[in-house]
């Protein structure tokens, strides 16, 4: 039933697990006539992205909750139910948890501390253990639910992100040359925004990869799944290098006559060829592309002699033209590595949808 609800795409896996955690937690508390609110709040905020995160953070949240409960009891016993009691309980809880490096438990501990104050009675010690007990129920239930129910699988999202990011990198590269020649090109701002989005999505995909590694520590996975994941990681690493070179090209500004007509034609054709290779799942490189790269390589080594030292008395080791050619050659080197790792492997992720 839960799988069917998830397939409707109305509720995500984490949302469903939060609901189940709240249901079980409240049922247990009501069964034993315990205060529900503390346990439910804790259950809501302790459902994590992975089972590994839930287990690691549960170990931190329990002592942090104990600290919050103790501070709440002490503050109430000393000052009564006043505004300063709430402020003092929250401030001291955050400060002490931070000092003890219980960072993942600060939120739960602070909520425990301030939520306890309105419902205190004269039995402080009993209140302390009751509140700590209900908070512990929320932590334990949400951790178990996160481990057992609908274990997250980020592989499909990672594969889809990898495919999309390579296409986005190709689109950005194709818009690069007009921007280099004309800084006032209306597409410059949109391209810069697209580049920032590319780097953001790349980091997000790396984070998903970390989540998946952690999740597999507690759940079984097949050899095929591992191979597909490792291939996706290699493609991500290649994409990181591609993004680096694209970033370098963002800061180069050429003059209108920086290249001859023949050089512009060659560079445009290479940019189009690289973009097409990035979009191709197997990243195959044609003979025509290799021929263009050899021609560009010759231009790189002769550029300084033909265009710089003969036209100015100053020695510019890295003029803008040289940087452009160098970055394109670097992109090609990455493509060769990408082609090599993609041989007979691209079907591992490209055939998934």
């Amino acid at each position: 039933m839960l799988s069917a609800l998830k397939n409707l795409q109305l509720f995500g896996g984490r949302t469903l697990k939060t609901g189940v955690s709240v249901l079980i937690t409240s049922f247990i508390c009501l069964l034993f006539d315990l205060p529900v609110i503390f346990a439910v709040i804790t259950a809501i905020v302790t459902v994590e992205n992975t089972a590994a995160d839930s287990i690691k953070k549960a170990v931190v949240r329990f002592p942090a909750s104990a600290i919050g409960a103790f501070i709440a009891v002490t503050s109430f016993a000393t000052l009564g139910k006043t505004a300063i009691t709430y402020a003092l309980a929250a401030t001291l809880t955050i400060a002490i948890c931070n000092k003890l490096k219980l960072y993942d438990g600060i939120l739960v501990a602070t909520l425990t501390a301030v939520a306890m104050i309105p419902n205190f009675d004269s039995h402080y010690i009993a209140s302390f253990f009751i509140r700590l007990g209900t908070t512990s129920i929320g932590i334990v239930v949400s951790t178990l639910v996160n481990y057992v129910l609908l274990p997250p699988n980020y592989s499909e999202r990672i594969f889809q992100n990898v495919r999309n990011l390579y296409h986005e990198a190709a689109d950005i590269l194709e818009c690069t040359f007009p921007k280099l020649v004309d800084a006032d090109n209306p597409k410059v701002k949109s391209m810069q925004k697209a580049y920032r989005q590319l780097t953001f999505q790349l980091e997000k995909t790396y984070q998903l990869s970390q989540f998946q590694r952690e999740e597999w520590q507690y759940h079984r996975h097949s050899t095929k799944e591992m191979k597909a994941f490792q291939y996706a990681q290699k493609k991500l690493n290649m994409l990181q290098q591609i993004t680096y070179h694209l970033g370098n090209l963002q800061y180069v500004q050429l003059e209108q006559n920086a290249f001859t007509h023949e050089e512009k034609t060659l560079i445009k054709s290479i940019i189009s060829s690289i973009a097409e290779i990035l979009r191709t799942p197997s990243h195959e490189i044609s003979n025509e592309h290799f021929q263009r790269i050899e021609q560009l390589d010759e231009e790189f080594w002769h550029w300084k002699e033909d265009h710089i030292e003969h036209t100015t008395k100053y020695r510019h080791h890295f003029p803008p033209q040289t940087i452009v050619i160098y970055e394109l050659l670097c992109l090609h080197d990455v493509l060769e590595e990408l082609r090599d790792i993609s041989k007979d492997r691209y079907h591992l992720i490209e055939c998934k949808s």
Side-chain angles (χ1 to χ4, degrees), residues 71-297:
I71 292 173
V73 170
T74 305
S75 300
F76 183 81
T78 305
L79 302 172
K81 192 184 298 184
T82 64
I84 196 171
T85 305
Y86 288 95
L88 187 63
T91 304
L92 287 177
T93 301
I94 293 171
I96 294 174
C97 288
N98 189 62
K99 189 68 175 178
L100 296 175
K101 298 182 179 180
L102 302 173
Y103 305 121
D104 292 325
I106 290 177
L107 177 60
V108 174
T110 306
L111 289 173
T112 299
V114 297
M116 286 177 66
I117 295 172
N119 301 302
F120 268 125
D121 53 35
S122 58
H123 303 288
Y124 298 138
I125 296 178
S127 296
F128 169 79
F129 284 107
I130 289 173
R131 303 304 188 265
L132 183 59
T134 54
T135 300
S136 301
I137 290 172
I139 293 174
V140 172
V141 168
S142 64
T143 301
L144 290 175
V145 168
N146 212 31
Y147 180 81
V148 175
L149 185 67
L150 296 174
N153 187 343
Y154 298 100
S155 295
E156 291 301 326
R157 288 175 60 186
I158 293 170
F159 300 155
Q160 185 62 47
N161 283 3
V162 169
R163 286 191 289 267
N164 293 342
L165 288 172
Y166 270 89
H167 281 266
E168 290 174 17
D171 293 340
I172 292 171
L173 179 61
E174 285 187 322
C175 296
T176 295
F177 193 75
K179 176 262 179 187
L180 293 173
V181 176
D182 182 11
D184 297 325
N185 191 301
K187 294 185 178 180
V188 170
K189 289 185 178 180
S190 61
M191 189 184 74
Q192 292 174 341
K193 181 179 179 181
Y195 177 77
R196 290 193 297 270
Q197 183 67 20
L198 175 69
T199 57
F200 173 77
Q201 290 297 331
L202 180 60
E203 289 302 316
K204 187 175 180 180
T205 306
Y206 269 118
Q207 185 182 47
L208 292 177
S209 299
Q210 182 61 34
F211 288 160
Q212 189 61 62
R213 287 194 192 94
E214 293 176 356
E215 190 63 29
W216 277 346
Q217 294 176 18
Y218 298 93
H219 294 98
R220 297 179 62 183
H221 53 277
S222 66
T223 303
K224 184 177 180 181
E225 288 175 328
M226 178 56 74
K227 287 182 178 180
F229 179 78
Q230 290 175 340
Y231 174 53
Q233 293 307 291
K234 290 179 180 179
K235 291 198 68 172
L236 272 180
N237 294 336
M238 294 293 102
L239 185 60
Q240 181 80 72
Q241 297 181 50
I242 291 168
T243 304
Y244 170 77
H245 295 300
L246 286 177
N248 290 341
L249 289 172
Q250 304 299 308
Y251 301 99
V252 180
Q253 181 59 54
L254 296 172
E255 297 179 357
Q256 289 285 350
N257 59 349
F259 290 111
T260 64
H261 176 72
E262 291 76 15
E263 290 167 342
K264 286 183 179 179
T265 302
L266 175 63
I267 291 173
K268 286 181 179 179
S269 65
I270 288 175
I271 287 177
S272 298
S273 180
I274 292 175
E276 183 61 29
I277 294 168
L278 290 175
R279 294 190 183 101
T280 304
S282 59
H283 305 293
E284 297 174 356
I285 303 176
S286 66
N287 292 330
E288 291 79 6
H289 176 80
F290 278 114
Q291 292 171 1
R292 296 189 191 107
I293 290 297
E294 288 180 6
Q295 189 177 348
L296 186 66
D297 191 40

Side-chain angles (χ1 to χ4, degrees), residues 300-341:
F300 176 75
W301 292 111
H302 294 300
W303 178 266
K304 188 174 182 181
E305 178 183 353
D306 295 342
H307 293 76
I308 302 300
E309 293 183 349
H310 289 176
T311 58
T312 177
K313 61 182 179 180
Y314 301 108
R315 291 175 58 85
H316 298 281
H317 293 285
F318 292 100
Q321 298 94 326
T322 305
I323 294 173
V324 171
I325 297 174
Y326 173 78
E327 294 298 339
L328 290 177
L329 290 173
C330 287
L331 280 171
H332 170 76
D333 288 345
V334 178
L335 288 185
E336 289 200 52
E337 293 183 52
L338 187 61
R339 177 202 57 183
D340 292 340
I341 68 169

